[in-house]
Amino acid sequence: MTLADIATVDALWEMSALRRAPAPTPVERRAGLVLLRELAGGEPVSVEEFARSLDASVGIAEDLVKASRLTRSILTSEAGRIYGFMGLSVSETPHRMIVDGRALWTWCAYDTLFLPALLDRTAQVETHDPATGQDIYLTVSPRRVEAVDPAAAVASIVRPEAWDVASAACVIASACHHMFFHVSRATGERWRLEHPETILLSLEEAFEFGQRSNAHRFGFRSGFDRLMDHQTSCQSDRSPPISIIRT
C-alpha cells in the first residue's frame, strides 16, 4: 500500500462508528476469540459449550452473551444457540469462507478480510459481484490478501460513520446488506451510483481497514494464539481469569 492508501484508511477509521463504540475489556476480548474459534467448527454454539471452552461457569458465559460488550455482535437462535458473531456465521449467506476444510459464511464480503487474522487461519473466499453475478475468489491469510480472481476486483463498503453498531441485526441492516466485492472498478461504480451510501476501496485498503477494527476490538493485530500469549504475559496487570469473574 502507498502512503496515500494508508492515509485514506486512517481517515475512514477516524470517522468510523465502530471506533467510537466501547471496546471489549481484556476478559471479553479473550472470550470473543474463544467464541470465534468455536463457531469456526461450523456448528452453532450453545451457552454450555461456550462455558466449557472458556473453562468458566454457565452463568459467566450467559453474562458474556447477554450483558457484555460482546452482546451487540452476537446472533442467537430462539433456542439460545449462537450462530453468528462479529461477522462470522454458520448459517449460509452469499459470502463463503473455507477454513481448515470447513464451510463458513460471513455477513458481508468485507468480513472475509478481517476474520482470517482473528481465526489465525488462511481462508478461501467465494462471493459474487451483485451487479453482474460473476463469481469472485480470494485467498486471505491473517496478514494479507494473497490472491484474487479476477485480479481487478475491488470492495464496496458503507461509509463507516453510517454503520449502526447498536446490535448485530442493526449492523447487518445498515451496512452488511450493501457491502460486496466487484469484479472491476467499473462494476463497483455502477453499484455505488445505485447505493450512494457506499464507497469503493481496493481490497488492500479494505483489508487494512479491517485490521484497524481488529486492533480496536481485540488490541492486537495478529491471530488467536499470539493475542492469547500477549494477554497471558500481561495478566498480572489486567483482570482476573474468566473462570472467577462475573460481569
Side-chain angles (χ1 to χ4, degrees), residues 96-97 113 117 129 147 188 191 195:
R96 185 166 75 153
M97 294 199 314
L113 298 176
D129 185 320
W191 178 259
H195 299 84

Side-chain angles (χ1 to χ4, degrees), residues 5-233:
D5 295 333
I6 294 171
T8 296
V9 174
D10 286 341
L12 289 172
W13 178 249
E14 282 302 309
M15 66 178 69
S16 170
L18 184 58
R19 186 184 72 83
R20 298 191 298 272
T25 66
V27 166
E28 291 166 344
R29 287 173 175 174
R30 176 177 177 266
L33 290 173
V34 168
L35 180 54
L36 284 170
R37 183 180 62 178
E38 289 301 303
L39 285 172
E43 298 293 336
V45 177
S46 68
V47 172
E48 292 76 14
E49 290 166 337
F50 186 29
R52 285 195 293 271
S53 298
L54 293 171
D55 192 22
S57 70
V58 171
I60 288 170
E62 286 181 340
D63 285 347
L64 286 164
V65 172
K66 297 179 180 179
S68 76
R69 293 182 180 182
L70 303 179
T71 303
R72 69 178 68 216
S73 299
I74 293 175
L75 289 174
T76 57
S77 68
E78 291 185 1
R81 294 174 68 85
I82 302 162
Y83 67 92
F85 175 58
M86 209 163 283
L88 184 65
S89 177
V90 297
S91 297
E92 188 170 348
T93 77
H95 317 288
R96 185 166 75 153
M97 294 199 314
I98 306 298
V99 178
D100 290 341
R102 295 187 183 91
L104 305 169
W105 291 269
T106 64
W107 300 347
C108 65
Y110 159 75
D111 295 334
T112 67
L113 298 176
F114 68 80
L115 283 167
L118 299 180
L119 297 172
D120 201 23
R121 294 290 185 272
T122 294
Q124 306 300 321
V125 176
E126 303 173 12
T127 185
H128 70 277
D129 185 320
T132 68
Q134 183 175 340
D135 290 334
I136 300 171
Y137 303 94
L138 287 78
T139 301
V140 183
S141 76
R143 296 190 177 276
R144 64 182 65 88
V145 177
E146 302 286 350
V148 57
D149 180 24
V154 299
S156 61
I157 69 168
V158 171
R159 293 183 178 280
E161 68 271 24
W163 300 10
D164 183 345
V165 297
S167 69
C170 287
V171 79
I172 290 170
S174 66
C176 295
H177 283 169
H178 311 288
M179 294 165 64
F180 289 87
F181 297 152
H182 308 274
V183 296
S184 68
R185 183 161 290 272
T187 63
E189 287 290 354
R190 286 165 51 191
W191 178 259
R192 189 184 64 81
L193 289 172
E194 295 172 2
H195 299 84
E197 71 278 12
T198 63
I199 58 174
L200 294 183
L201 298 175
S202 70
L203 294 178
E204 291 76 14
E205 289 170 331
F207 179 91
E208 188 59 30
F209 185 84
Q211 304 320 299
R212 301 289 197 281
S213 170
N214 286 348
H216 174 72
R217 292 187 288 189
F218 292 99
F220 211 60
R221 291 180 56 153
S222 298
F224 180 87
D225 292 334
R226 288 181 62 184
L227 187 143
M228 298 293 282
D229 290 343
H230 175 72
Q231 289 187 337
T232 299
S233 69

